C-alpha cells in the first residue's frame, strides 16, 4: 500500500513537471541560462530553453499632417503713388492754394488748408521753361487764341505758334496760363511739352476755370527755369 501511494505521488509530481514545462513553452525566455525546475522527492528536471520571440515590427507612428505653407503674395507691379507734398505757406484771398511740382508733373490743390485735388500737368520745356515762384490767378477766358507774337516770337518763325485753347486762366501778365491742352494729355504727368504754360486736361482746365477765383496763389517748384518775380 505504501508503494502504491509513493507511485501515485511520483506520477502526480511528474505530471506537474510536464505541465510546468508545457506552460513555459508559451512564455518568452528571460535569461540566457537553461532554467532548472526542482520538485521535492524527484531529481531536478531541466526545462528546455524556450525559443526567443522574434522582434515584432514597430507600428508606424501616425504621420503628422503638415499644414500647407501659405503661398507668398505676388509683388505688386503698380508703382507707389507719390505722397502729397506739404501745402505751400502762402497767403490766399480765396482759400485756394496750388502747387505745381516739376518733380512729379502734378498740380496739387488745397482749399482752406485741406487737400482736395491733384491733376497731371505738362509745363515748359527746357528751351521754354516755366519760371519758379508764386503766381496769382488773374483774368479768365472760356476760349482764346494763344499767339507767340505777344511775347516777341513771330507766329511764322520756327518757334512761333497761334493755338486755339479753352478754359484758360491767366497766371502772369507775360503770358503764362493754366489751360486745357488735350493735345498734350500723353505728356501730362510725365514730361514737359509746353512753351511755359501749365497744360492740363480739358476736364481739369474747366475745374480751375469754374472754381478758382482771382488772386489764388499757384506756386511753381523744381523747374530748370529762373525765378519768377512779376505778378
Amino acid at each position: 500500500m505504501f508503494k502504491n501511494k509513493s507511485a501515485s505521488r511520483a506520477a502526480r509530481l511528474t505530471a506537474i513537471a510536464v505541465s510546468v514545462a508545457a506552460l513555459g513553452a508559451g512564455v518568452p525566455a528571460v535569461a540566457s541560462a537553461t532554467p532548472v525546475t526542482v520538485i521535492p522527492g524527484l531529481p531536478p528536471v531541466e526545462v528546455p530553453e524556450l525559443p526567443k520571440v522574434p522582434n515584432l515590427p514597430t507600428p508606424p507612428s501616425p504621420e503628422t499632417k503638415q499644414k500647407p505653407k501659405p503661398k507668398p503674395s505676388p509683388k505688386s507691379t503698380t508703382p507707389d503713388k507719390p505722397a502729397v507734398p506739404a501745402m505751400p505757406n502762402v497767403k490766399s484771398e480765396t482759400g485756394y492754394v496750388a502747387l505745381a511740382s516739376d518733380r512729379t508733373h502734378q498740380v496739387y490743390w488745397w482749399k482752406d488748408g485741406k487737400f482736395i485735388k491733384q491733376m497731371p500737368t505738362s509745363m515748359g520745356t527746357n528751351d521754354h521753361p516755366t519760371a519758379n515762384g508764386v503766381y496769382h490767378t488773374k483774368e479768365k477766358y472760356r476760349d482764346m487764341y494763344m499767339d507767340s507774337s505777344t511775347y516777341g516770337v513771330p507766329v511764322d518763325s520756327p518757334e512761333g505758334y497761334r493755338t486755339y485753347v479753352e478754359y484758360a486762366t491767366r497766371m502772369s501778365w507775360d503770358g503764362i496760363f493754366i489751360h486745357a491742352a488735350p493735345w498734350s494729355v500723353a505728356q501730362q504727368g510725365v514730361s514737359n511739352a509746353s512753351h511755359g504754360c501749365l497744360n492740363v486736361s480739358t476736364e481739369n482746365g474747366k475745374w480751375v476755370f469754374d472754381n478758382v477765383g482771382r488772386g489764388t496763389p499757384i506756386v511753381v517748384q523744381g523747374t530748370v527755369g529762373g525765378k519768377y518775380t512779376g505778378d
Side-chain angles (χ1 to χ4, degrees):
M1 183 175 180
F2 179 81
K3 211 181 259 189
N4 289 340
K5 286 183 179 179
S6 297
S8 176
R9 181 182 178 188
R12 285 199 302 272
L13 292 175
T14 301
I16 293 170
V18 172
S19 299
V20 170
L23 181 62
V27 179
V30 295
S32 60
T34 302
V36 176
T37 302
V38 178
I39 302 174
L42 292 176
V45 178
E46 290 186 5
V47 179
E49 186 177 355
L50 301 177
K52 293 183 179 180
V53 179
N55 292 332
L56 297 176
T58 305
S61 58
E63 295 183 1
T64 304
K65 291 186 178 180
Q66 296 182 351
K67 294 182 179 179
K69 293 182 179 180
K71 294 181 180 180
S73 301
K75 293 183 178 179
S76 175
T77 56
T78 304
D80 293 336
K81 189 176 180 180
V84 175
M87 185 182 77
N89 185 19
V90 292
K91 183 180 178 181
S92 174
E93 297 176 357
T94 64
Y96 286 95
V97 173
L99 170 64
S101 171
D102 191 59
R103 183 180 65 84
T104 60
H105 301 291
Q106 301 285 325
V107 184
Y108 305 90
W109 292 89
W110 291 263
K111 178 69 163 64
D112 297 328
K114 182 181 179 181
F115 177 73
I116 59 169
K117 193 172 182 64
Q118 176 178 334
M119 58 183 66
T121 189
S122 180
M123 293 191 276
T125 64
N126 288 355
D127 293 333
H128 306 280
T130 308
N132 298 282
V134 183
Y135 298 76
H136 288 87
T137 57
K138 297 172 174 46
E139 58 195 11
K140 298 180 181 182
Y141 298 91
R142 170 61 183 81
D143 59 352
M144 65 179 294
Y145 279 93
M146 289 192 165
D147 192 325
S148 62
S149 63
T150 58
Y151 59 91
V153 179
V155 174
D156 55 358
S157 70
E159 293 294 325
Y161 61 88
R162 180 176 171 78
T163 306
Y164 172 79
V165 300
E166 294 184 284
Y167 302 112
T169 300
R170 183 185 290 276
M171 295 169 52
S172 73
W173 293 117
D174 58 358
I176 302 300
F177 287 77
I178 179 169
H179 64 81
W183 59 85
S184 70
V185 167
Q187 286 76 39
Q188 293 167 24
V190 178
S191 61
N192 293 326
S194 82
H195 283 80
C197 290
L198 273 62
N199 287 4
V200 295
S201 68
T202 300
E203 178 184 0
N204 287 327
K206 184 177 186 303
W207 182 88
V208 176
F209 184 89
D210 290 341
N211 293 279
V212 178
R214 187 179 182 124
T216 296
I218 300 178
V219 180
V220 174
Q221 288 182 350
T223 75
V224 299
K227 180 74 174 178
Y228 172 71
T229 56
D231 200 17

